[in-house]
Amino acid sequence: MGMVALVVGATGLVGRLVTAELLDREEIEEVRVLVRRLPDVTHPKLKPILVNWEELDQYSNAFAGVHSVYCCLGTTIKKAGSQQQFRKVDVDYVMKTAELAKQHGVRQFLSVSSVGANSKVRNFYLRTKGEVEEGLAGIGFWGLHVFRPSLLLGERPEQRFVERAASMLMTTFDFAFKGPKLAPYRAVPALKVAKSMVNIGLADMKGYHVYTNEVIHVLGDAAD
């Protein structure tokens, strides 16, 4: 029998691509997605599970028999409406997902973070991402993989004007993002992040690993 994978945040930019990548892999027998609304795609391997994120404990059985969880949850303060609501999505939901995964013996947990994530910095967004990374590290997964991409390139379900403008600018000047100071901030196609995550999940490596933006670029190219 093949592996069962579970994706949270499956309707977002990276989550949609991770889901598609998993569905395309022979090693994967079933792809479960925890969603608030049914996805607009169907596939024999795809199993959508409608959830209320405020009562995630009620869907604990969704993690039973799962080999790898791909956590692509994330929002913006503007979309969330406040720092408190932002933390609910980017911290509370992520940690609850991880706790349920651990309870059910999930072997691999893969999570999207951000370049510059650090629990000690003043920037609220980066500090929050750093806190989540530390929380995940304390759970004790057999394999934990944290991906720290820079600005993500790709078509989002919703329009984000500032991100679209930044993407155009960074794509135009991509050639200039070289060297130790600028390479870590080079924009990265979301598809590279998705391919990197799926390949690492299937590799079934033990331990806690952090993948920087530069490494994601390399892994994404190698996955093509």
Side-chain angles (χ1 to χ4, degrees):
M1 294 179 63
M3 298 177 185
V4 177
L6 185 147
V7 184
V8 291
T11 57
L13 176 58
V14 175
R16 286 185 293 115
L17 295 169
V18 165
T19 301
E21 191 70 22
L22 288 167
L23 291 171
D24 197 45
R25 299 299 183 96
E26 294 181 356
E27 302 96 321
I28 302 296
E29 178 183 350
E30 180 178 275
V31 180
R32 301 174 191 170
V33 293
L34 302 188
V35 290
R36 288 182 297 182
R37 61 183 183 278
L38 290 174
D40 26 354
V41 298
T42 58
H43 191 284
K45 294 183 183 179
L46 185 63
K47 183 180 179 181
I49 301 171
L50 294 176
V51 301
N52 177 353
W53 287 100
E54 298 297 327
E55 301 174 353
L56 195 55
D57 281 319
Q58 294 187 12
Y59 311 93
S60 176
N61 287 340
F63 294 84
V66 171
H67 174 271
S68 305
V69 168
Y70 296 80
C71 185
C72 307
L73 286 169
T75 186
T76 63
I77 296 177
K78 181 179 179 180
K79 185 177 179 181
S82 68
Q83 290 187 352
Q84 182 181 3
Q85 288 300 113
F86 174 86
R87 285 189 64 89
K88 180 175 287 189
V89 175
D90 279 54
V91 180
D92 298 348
Y93 293 169
V94 172
M95 292 306 299
K96 175 54 69 174
T97 297
E99 289 165 6
L100 291 174
K102 178 62 175 178
Q103 289 172 20
H104 285 273
V106 169
R107 190 173 173 90
Q108 298 286 341
F109 194 92
L110 305 97
S111 183
V112 180
S113 184
S114 171
V115 62
N118 188 331
S119 64
K120 304 299 189 294
V121 299
R122 295 182 62 183
N123 180 277
F124 173 78
Y125 178 83
L126 298 179
R127 185 173 71 249
T128 301
K129 292 295 187 182
E131 290 172 0
V132 173
E133 290 187 10
E134 291 180 358
L136 292 176
I139 289 181
F141 286 104
W142 194 87
L144 173 63
H145 308 273
V146 172
F147 295 79
R148 293 179 178 172
S150 183
L151 179 69
L152 295 168
L153 302 176
E155 292 298 321
R156 295 184 181 274
E158 74 280 1
Q159 297 293 320
R160 295 180 180 176
F161 176 76
V162 174
E163 286 189 355
R164 183 179 292 275
S167 295
M168 293 176 63
L169 185 64
M170 292 183 76
T171 301
T172 301
F173 294 98
D174 181 71
F175 65 91
F177 283 79
K178 297 179 180 179
K181 291 186 177 180
L182 292 180
Y185 303 98
R186 179 186 172 200
V188 59
L191 183 58
K192 280 190 177 184
V193 180
K195 286 179 176 291
S196 299
M197 292 180 74
V198 172
N199 278 334
I200 292 298
L202 293 178
D204 199 34
M205 293 189 298
K206 183 179 181 180
Y208 176 28
H209 305 271
V210 175
Y211 304 89
T212 63
N213 193 57
E214 302 99 306
V215 171
I216 293 170
H217 271 283
V218 174
L219 289 174
D221 285 335
D224 291 335

